[in-house]
Amino acid sequence: MDSPGRGRLGSARRLPMGMQDMIRWLLPREDVFYGLLERQSELLEAAARALAEFSNGVPAEQIRETVQKLEHEADAIVYEIEEQLAKVFVTPIDREDIQLLASSIDDIVDLINLTARTFVLFGVPSPTPPMAELMQILVKTAAVLHAELPALRRHEYGKLIALGRVIKANEKEADQVFRNAVSALFHDPDIDAKVLLRDKEVLEDLESAIDRCETVAERLKNLAVKHG
């Protein structure tokens, strides 16, 4: 698994901005990237929902296997985007923006996979209420991202800005849950040190995944401002 934040995509071929804009206007644009990005968001939502099944009693090992399979599928999408960027001359949006957006979505899937592995590695018997709450916030955030990402293809930039506000609100909600949960762990005089460290690790993984959703929202908002 590639570490979050490490781009897989190769360096983009660059032209002066004015020339890029004229070429895009004169030549047909390759829209395959929209489909690939939307497929990424679909896999992201599926991974978030699979992870949340831990709250419904699905064994951690089964969740890890399911999420890892989805993560591999998501990796394949990133590699396909890389290949398309290498051979397509005209892209519907700047290739740097495609690269950043794809990498940011992939980071979230990687973090979901990391969380599923942590369940198994640390022997988490079942999610605590804060873990379950964070997983549900992650699910609803991934779902709205998947639902609204096609607005990029349709040039509905106002929807992308509104999406950013929704995801920001979800991130703030998750941050409050995370802070309260960690505070409770450290203020519990009876908690075992191993349990404290285990639960804190899982909470941090979940909170990081939701944070990265906000990064994707920021990328989309920037695109809306740039092209709107």
Side-chain angles (χ1 to χ4, degrees):
M1 179 189 71
D2 290 343
S3 60
R6 184 180 302 167
R8 292 192 179 90
L9 306 177
S11 59
R13 293 172 292 172
R14 297 186 61 98
L15 291 170
M17 284 300 296
M19 189 178 297
Q20 285 182 339
D21 292 339
M22 179 160 294
I23 289 172
R24 288 194 180 93
W25 183 74
L26 290 172
L27 297 178
R29 297 181 300 178
E30 180 54 74
D31 289 349
V32 66
F33 297 103
Y34 290 135
L36 291 170
L37 290 168
E38 288 162 13
R39 175 58 178 158
Q40 261 196 310
S41 71
E42 181 182 0
L43 291 168
L44 166 59
E45 182 182 359
R49 291 189 182 281
L51 189 75
E53 285 298 304
F54 197 30
S55 297
N56 296 326
V58 176
E61 292 83 0
Q62 182 177 332
I63 289 172
R64 179 191 60 185
E65 291 175 5
T66 301
V67 172
Q68 185 165 300
K69 181 177 181 292
L70 292 166
E71 193 261 351
H72 288 166
E73 291 183 45
D75 283 346
I77 298 296
V78 175
Y79 300 145
E80 176 65 15
I81 290 174
E82 179 182 33
E83 291 177 359
Q84 291 293 332
L85 284 174
K87 68 182 182 183
V88 171
F89 187 67
V90 181
T91 55
I93 55 177
D94 288 344
R95 57 186 66 242
E96 293 90 344
D97 292 328
I98 295 171
Q99 178 185 18
L100 288 170
L101 188 54
S103 296
S104 298
I105 296 173
D106 190 59
D107 283 348
I108 307 169
V109 181
D110 284 347
L111 282 163
I112 293 172
N113 189 41
L114 176 63
T115 306
R117 292 171 60 189
T118 301
F119 288 159
V120 176
L121 182 65
F122 289 175
V124 181
S126 61
T128 63
M131 290 177 196
E133 191 170 356
L134 287 175
M135 285 190 286
Q136 286 305 313
I137 294 172
L138 180 58
V139 166
K140 72 178 181 180
T141 304
V144 72
L145 178 59
H146 177 213
E148 297 300 330
L149 186 60
L152 180 62
R153 179 197 293 268
R154 298 190 298 263
H155 312 297
E156 296 173 345
Y157 300 120
K159 287 189 176 181
L160 296 181
I161 292 174
L163 170 66
R165 297 192 189 103
V166 171
I167 292 180
K168 178 65 175 178
N170 290 351
E171 189 276 332
K172 286 185 176 180
E173 180 185 0
D175 186 61
Q176 189 63 51
V177 172
F178 171 76
R179 290 179 181 276
N180 290 343
V182 171
S183 176
L185 288 175
F186 280 95
H187 283 85
D188 184 352
D190 300 320
I191 193 169
D192 180 82
K194 291 181 181 180
V195 173
L196 186 151
L197 293 174
R198 180 193 70 195
D199 288 5
K200 181 175 178 291
E201 184 78 14
V202 174
L203 291 166
E204 286 176 346
D205 290 345
L206 288 167
E207 201 262 346
S208 294
I210 297 167
D211 277 349
R212 295 301 175 91
C213 292
E214 187 180 6
T215 299
V216 172
E218 284 297 314
R219 304 274 189 221
L220 291 169
K221 184 177 74 173
N222 290 342
L223 281 170
V225 171
K226 187 176 182 179
H227 296 283

